[in-house]
Amino acid sequence: MDKIVSLCKRRGFVFPSSEIYGGLGSTYDYGHYGVLLKQNVKAEWWRTMLQERDDIVALDAAILMHPRTWEASGHLAGFTDPLVDCRTCKQRFRADHIETSACGRKPSKRPGETPDCDLTDPRDFNLMFQTTLGPVKESGATVYLRPETAQGIFVNFKNYLQFSRKKPPFGIAQIGKSFRNEITPGNFVFRTREFEQMEMEYFVPPDEAPKWFEHWLEQRMNWYTELGLRPDHLRLRAHAPDELSHYSSATSDVEYLFPIGWSELEGIANRGNFDLTRHAEFSGQKLEYVDSASGERYVPHVIEPAAGADRAALAFLVDAYDEDEVGGEARTVLRLHPRLAPVKVAVLPLVKKDGQPEVAGQILRELRSRMSAEYDEGGAIGRRYRRQDEIGTPFGVTVDHQTLEDHTVTVRERDSLVQERVPVTELADELERRLRAPWSSPKLARV
Ligand code: GAP
């Protein structure tokens, strides 16, 4: 993980937030390449949810919601973690994470291990951030930053039945920020207090819920493997009955083998009719589906694949990170799926003279309208390739003296290092063809 964190800072993927003031506990800023990577992760999620299906529609709900939402959802009463304070070191710990936490004093031990540790009994700590709606704190309404995007979907269920003319089974998908005042955030962007979720609520006839639960388990596992995560680093883990959330009758986590061990990437839950029933009760509105032909009415059950965009981006980075040797020199390379790579192609003149930069500039302008492309003319060609390898650019296009004679360029592949000459007139089509081709991690072949 240290290598990933250091690469992310060095190459402008992710920085600690407000760093010049010493940072702010586990909040992060995405730099240029991090923005592009996360954007690609989200675009791939939208692609499978919307573009490749016709039973799912999109939503972008407000982060601030009516406070009754959180009473109905159960978050106000139950979205808590057990908190333990140490009166000696003034640190706070999650009671259920004591075994893996470090004491606030050096040399660090487990909280409660030294005779000086003075731990309180655990008490419930609500993870929702509060703020006040309106200019006067005393008379304003207390509202919360949403701890999940899902509730924005449930409170819009009626709108969607009316405008979208969908009938169950159908889904509503949303990507957006969520906030949780985690007691022990950490492991880089794995657990932060502000993060992005990619959630889809799939409304189904009650008797079809088990079938659709299985369907979404399979779909979501496929999404990760098709985007290149190594299958042997990915698994499904069903929650034990005592782990299930208050709303769920079945949940399975997609887990990835992070450097910190097997950890949750995404949760897929059968939420039954809990949410729609509760919001109907608290709002006084009917939240049910009525079949206009048969008159049949029911409260749909909900299958929810809930993923984290930051956690997914981290998993793709971890899976992609590699070190090897090229021409006797060490190189760090991100073997990202080409569709996830922040930059698809780097255009590089071999030398900064003889008209090569001008031709390379022209090629860049042509490629740019079709894919994310970068130009680099600074330094030895080998060093420039390595800079691109480090950010995961799958293709390098080199303009050399031959280009000026026969209008061909060299296309270098990041993974195989194969170099081929391609006519400039065919370049964009050829690169697009390669970007669409199935891809699997070259790290797999080594196992
Ligand atoms: N609506 C259900 C729900 O929110 P969750 O398992 O609490 O379920 C879904 O969250 C996903 O959101 C997680 O699998 C994870 O990828 C991401 N996530 C949750 N808390 C996070 C945090 N503190 N930091 C980063 N990602 C988080």
Side-chain angles (χ1 to χ4, degrees), residues 76-94:
L76 207 52
F79 194 53
T80 56
D81 276 339
L83 173 74
V84 164
D85 287 285
C86 177
R87 297 186 190 92
T88 310
C89 72
K90 312 288 181 222
Q91 295 267 333
R92 299 182 139 184
F93 309 99
R94 257 176 75 165

Side-chain angles (χ1 to χ4, degrees), residues 210-353:
K211 175 182 97 181
W212 287 108
F213 181 64
E214 294 301 320
H215 169 87
W216 283 107
L217 293 184
E218 190 187 337
Q219 292 292 308
R220 296 306 302 146
M221 284 293 277
N222 289 349
W223 187 78
Y224 290 105
T225 50
E226 278 163 20
L227 287 173
L229 284 194
R230 287 165 294 167
D232 59 347
H233 280 57
L234 211 53
R235 72 179 186 193
L236 270 177
R237 189 185 65 80
H239 280 207
D242 62 346
E243 270 184 280
L244 291 173
S245 315
H246 56 283
Y247 52 74
S248 170
S249 60
T251 298
S252 283
D253 286 344
V254 177
E255 293 190 336
Y256 177 72
L257 186 53
F258 284 96
I260 50 172
W262 286 103
S263 311
E264 174 186 339
L265 249 188
E266 162 162 357
I268 299 151
N270 180 348
R271 296 180 75 121
N273 61 10
F274 175 83
D275 305 273
L276 290 181
T277 308
R278 293 278 292 187
H279 285 301
E281 196 184 306
F282 278 70
S283 66
Q285 307 264 332
K286 273 206 164 66
L287 300 179
E288 58 183 15
Y289 172 70
V290 184
D291 189 305
S292 54
S294 66
E296 183 197 10
R297 56 176 68 219
Y298 59 85
V299 179
H301 283 208
V302 172
I303 307 301
E304 175 197 66
D310 310 85
R311 224 175 255 190
L314 179 62
F316 288 121
L317 278 172
V318 165
D319 213 67
Y321 185 92
D322 204 6
E323 291 170 354
D324 64 2
E325 228 183 75
V326 176
E329 275 196 57
R331 99 170 155 154
T332 300
V333 53
L334 284 186
R335 301 193 190 278
L336 286 166
H337 190 296
R339 288 214 304 270
L340 293 180
V343 176
K344 310 300 180 203
V345 57
V347 183
L348 317 165
L350 189 61
V351 291
K352 222 180 343 177
K353 56 183 184 181

Side-chain angles (χ1 to χ4, degrees), residues 128-168:
M128 286 198 293
F129 281 101
Q130 280 184 22
T131 185
T132 311
L133 199 70
V136 184
K137 188 160 189 240
E138 288 68 29
S139 61
T142 299
V143 292
Y144 303 89
L145 302 188
R146 66 179 176 201
E148 63 172 16
T149 58
Q151 298 304 323
I153 297 178
F154 298 126
V155 301
N156 274 291
F157 175 72
K158 205 171 167 184
N159 287 333
Y160 274 69
L161 275 189
Q162 280 160 4
F163 99 88
S164 72
R165 294 187 295 129
K166 297 266 182 236
K167 58 178 282 192

Side-chain angles (χ1 to χ4, degrees), residues 357-377:
E358 289 74 16
V359 174
Q362 180 60 31
I363 291 173
L364 176 81
R365 281 189 289 281
E366 280 162 24
L367 289 177
R368 227 175 215 169
S369 61
R370 308 206 8 205
M371 64 196 72
S372 128
E374 221 174 60
Y375 177 79
D376 186 3
E377 60 174 26

